[in-house]
Amino acid sequence: VESVEGFYVEYGSTTCHSLVVSAVFCPSMQGLGARAGGRVTGQDDLQYMIEAIVAPEAFVVAGFGNVMPQNFGEQMTSEELGDIIAYLLEQ
């Protein structure tokens, strides 16, 4: 991926997920790297992020609806998925 940030924007992620402040429609990505590993017992941050993107209905954050597209796993290559997860975990 040439620009992971550009890829994040291209997939419309910034429409709902803020990288800097609390979001109204969807959880903020700010500080996600520090939170992801503890969200589901027995899963590390990488496992959680893969499942949250590929099967978003599995982890709907309290207070938010399940509005994330259900087909990101089909649209992204393994490399793109890995790149976007690495990018998000750094936020």
Side-chain angles (χ1 to χ4, degrees):
V1 175
E2 278 185 41
S3 165
V4 177
E5 186 174 356
F7 179 71
Y8 183 76
V9 172
E10 175 187 327
Y11 271 90
S13 301
T14 57
T15 302
C16 297
H17 294 285
S18 171
L19 292 173
V20 293
V21 295
S22 295
V24 175
F25 301 110
C26 302
S28 172
M29 297 292 104
Q30 184 179 34
L32 181 63
R35 299 189 318 264
R39 299 203 52 108
V40 177
T41 303
Q43 284 192 337
D44 64 20
D45 55 353
L46 181 60
Q47 292 167 321
Y48 173 81
M49 288 300 300
I50 290 170
E51 192 161 355
I53 291 171
V54 173
E57 73 283 354
F59 307 123
V60 179
V61 175
F64 297 97
N66 183 19
V67 297
M68 190 162 151
Q70 304 296 305
N71 62 345
F72 278 152
E74 298 166 13
Q75 294 178 357
M76 294 181 188
T77 66
S78 295
E79 179 184 6
E80 290 169 335
L81 182 60
D83 288 347
I84 198 74
I85 288 171
Y87 173 75
L88 291 173
L89 291 175
E90 291 174 359
Q91 301 309 308

